[in-house]
Amino acid sequence: MDSPAGNDGLPLASFAMNSNHTINIQTNNKALYRTIWRWHFYAGIFCIPFVIILALTGAIYLFKPYYESWQESQFHQINSTAERLPANQQIQAALDAIPGGKFLSYRLPQNSTESVLIKVQAESNWQVFVNPYTAEVVGKQETSWQLMNIVKTIHGELLIGNVGSILVELAACWAIVLLMTGLYLWWPRNAKGVEGVLYPRLRDGSRTFWRDIHAVTGIWISALALFLLVTGLPWATVWGAALKEVRAIDFSAQQDWTQSRAEEHQHWRAQASEVFDLTPAILTAAETIQLAPPVELSISNAHHNSWKASSQSQNRPARADVWLASDGSIEKQSGFAEKKLLDRAIGIGVAAHEGYLFGWFNLLLGVLTCAGLILMSVSGFILWRKRKPDSVLGAPPAMPARVGVAVVAITLGLAVFLPLLAISLVVLLALEFLVLRRINSVNQWLGLSK
């Protein structure tokens, strides 16, 4: 017997099957959306405090050279009518000002009225400013208590050492998840025009306004924010250590970025010396080479009185190192172009991350990205408070969903690229299924029930 036919000539059984299939697809898409929304929600709950701290400290640190130039200006009111004293006498004056101090580096003045900055290591590191014409110490600062070093330590370690560094790296990993899930949620499926997609709706009520501020800000800064997060990973404890192991396979040169304050200090200790002889020939050669300022001279080999002149430019691709013999002749030199491809890529990323790869516009992009991250965090918090029911966390209700190959591939890719994310994901899933779901009050508060 033939099946009854619908108005379009198709058998009703076939029509019903197609309808059910369509409904199943729609239901699964809704469930997948809800699942990704839940991950976005939980990532946000964890990340928002860290994102605000990192964005604030990062925005401040972008202005490090300008702040330090202003802060050091009090030591650069030098009368240049006399001849400069020998560099060794200037260094000795700096060492005499710091009991038990050892010489670290000598920064070349950039003009005739600028004092010499000599770095000294004792129980802590010091910056000593010396008048090169009189050998008078005009100022000294303990580097660990300088504003920008404190900001940098908060940004990288939250002032709590390795534990803080791991927390920052974990927050950065989940912030990447936060941005990627946010892009999925933002994707316009039923939008009519670009209002609420590329610019916020301003007259559709408070909740819509904050939702659009959150989403629209996210789409405009997402690429820049992802770039900042990824280029910050070489400094991270776990990811940076893994990179260091990979890099050690084929790299003999020392990397020019550090992963922690302790490693940075160790880097300086290796160059500290009680013996020094900065001859006029070495000083003249270092000035003649004209490396990108600021330029620091440090001892390369105390036995042979070999020195290294190093550019410490904020724009790392402009940096170079030149090794000088006692007579001022060049023993060897190394510039950015001679570095391995991996080091060049990281150097470019670090320079862009710090806001100095391509001038003021790079700095502006960094400030706007940090401001956007703060705005997203604040608007996300406000949205949560507006929709949060009493007595529960307010996570979107759970819906079981079948995830596609793309979602699985992206998740696995992130887990491989971000080992700390993978570890935390395993711990969270185990904690949820083995503990949290078995405690009814916690289960309901977190919204884990279907």
Side-chain angles (χ1 to χ4, degrees):
M1 178 182 292
D2 293 337
S3 299
N7 294 333
D8 56 359
L10 293 173
L12 290 180
S14 175
F15 180 78
M17 290 176 63
N18 289 336
S19 298
N20 290 336
H21 180 66
T22 301
I23 292 172
N24 288 338
I25 292 176
Q26 292 174 345
T27 301
N28 190 66
N29 287 341
K30 182 179 179 181
L32 179 60
Y33 183 93
R34 185 72 61 80
T35 299
I36 291 177
W37 185 11
R38 283 175 63 80
W39 280 109
H40 184 76
F41 175 85
Y42 285 124
I45 289 291
F46 171 68
C47 285
I48 280 177
F50 294 100
V51 168
I52 291 175
I53 291 172
L54 294 177
L56 282 173
T57 54
I60 294 171
Y61 197 74
L62 287 170
F63 294 92
K64 174 178 179 285
Y66 299 99
Y67 170 79
E68 290 184 343
S69 176
W70 168 80
Q71 192 254 348
E72 290 179 7
S73 62
Q74 60 184 309
F75 307 127
H76 295 326
Q77 310 299 325
I78 303 299
N79 188 341
S80 60
T81 56
E83 290 290 327
R84 291 195 178 202
L85 296 175
N88 289 333
Q89 189 172 338
Q90 301 168 32
I91 295 172
Q92 190 59 54
L95 295 178
D96 291 342
I98 307 297
K102 296 180 181 179
F103 171 73
L104 285 173
S105 66
Y106 178 105
R107 192 179 75 184
L108 298 179
Q110 295 184 43
N111 55 62
S112 60
T113 62
E114 184 175 301
S115 60
V116 172
L117 170 58
I118 298 170
K119 292 183 179 179
V120 177
Q121 179 187 292
E123 291 184 358
S124 59
N125 288 347
W126 289 79
Q127 291 183 339
V128 183
F129 295 87
V130 177
N131 184 328
Y133 305 100
T134 65
E136 176 191 1
V137 173
V138 295
K140 59 183 180 179
Q141 303 172 330
E142 189 176 358
T143 56
S144 59
W145 291 105
Q146 289 179 307
L147 174 63
M148 284 301 167
N149 278 335
I150 294 173
V151 169
K152 180 181 179 182
T153 306
I154 296 173
H155 189 76
E157 302 177 358
L158 305 176
L159 296 177
I160 53 177
N162 286 336
V163 173
S165 180
I166 291 173
L167 284 174
V168 167
E169 182 177 356
L170 188 60
C173 292
W174 279 101
I176 292 174
V177 174
L178 189 66
L179 286 169
M180 296 185 70
T181 53
L183 289 173
Y184 177 88
L185 298 174
W186 164 87
W187 188 261
R189 294 166 179 80
N190 302 306
K192 297 177 181 179
V194 296
E195 190 178 20
V197 178
L198 296 181
Y199 63 89
R201 292 164 286 187
L202 303 178
R203 296 186 296 273
D204 288 357
S206 174
R207 185 166 170 178
T208 299
F209 168 79
W210 285 111
R211 179 266 173 199
D212 285 1
I213 288 293
H214 184 74
V216 171
T217 302
I219 190 58
W220 282 108
I221 71 162
S222 57
L224 293 171
L226 281 170
F227 178 82
L228 285 180
L229 290 167
V230 171
T231 53
L233 289 175
W235 285 299
T237 298
V238 177
W239 202 93
L243 173 65
K244 194 172 183 179
E245 292 299 320
V246 172
R247 185 182 175 279
I249 296 173
D250 189 39
F251 290 74
S252 57
Q254 182 176 346
Q255 63 187 40
D256 66 349
W257 69 94
T258 54
Q259 293 160 237
S260 66
R261 188 172 40 166
E263 185 177 294
E264 190 172 68
H265 290 174
Q266 184 63 37
H267 172 73
W268 279 114
R269 283 194 190 99
Q271 302 179 49
S273 177
E274 295 178 333
V275 179
F276 54 89
D277 184 14
L278 183 50
T279 65
I282 295 174
L283 199 58
T284 301
E287 292 171 339
T288 304
I289 295 168
Q290 293 187 332
L291 299 174
V295 178
E296 293 184 356
L297 283 166
S298 58
I299 297 173
S300 173
N301 188 321
H303 295 292
H304 299 284
N305 199 33
S306 175
W307 289 68
K308 182 172 77 169
S310 300
S311 166
Q312 298 297 318
S313 170
Q314 287 291 125
N315 184 10
R316 292 179 184 243
R319 290 184 178 183
D321 297 318
V322 178
W323 285 261
L324 300 169
S326 58
D327 62 356
S329 61
I330 295 176
E331 295 179 336
K332 62 176 180 177
Q333 52 189 337
S334 174
F336 188 75
E338 285 77 41
K339 292 181 180 292
K340 299 284 187 177
L341 177 61
L342 178 61
D343 278 0
R344 293 203 304 273
I346 293 174
I348 290 171
V350 168
H353 186 102
E354 294 182 330
Y356 288 91
L357 182 63
F358 44 91
W360 66 266
F361 188 62
N362 191 171
L363 187 66
L364 176 63
L365 287 179
V367 172
L368 291 177
T369 303
C370 291
L373 285 169
I374 294 171
L375 181 58
M376 286 172 62
S377 299
V378 172
S379 58
F381 176 80
I382 292 173
L383 279 173
W384 171 54
R385 296 302 300 173
K386 282 183 173 293
R387 68 175 296 276
K388 177 187 176 300
D390 294 333
S391 72
V392 295
L393 181 61
M399 288 182 68
R402 294 190 300 273
V403 297
V405 175
V407 175
V408 173
I410 291 173
T411 303
L412 291 176
L414 284 174
V416 171
F417 181 68
L418 304 169
L420 201 57
L421 174 65
I423 294 169
S424 65
L425 191 58
V426 171
V427 171
L428 283 174
L429 291 175
L431 183 64
E432 177 183 333
F433 286 101
L434 296 178
V435 179
L436 301 180
R437 287 185 179 273
R438 300 176 186 274
I439 305 173
N440 289 333
S441 58
V442 176
N443 191 343
Q444 293 175 3
W445 187 77
L446 289 174
L448 299 176
S449 302
K450 296 180 183 180

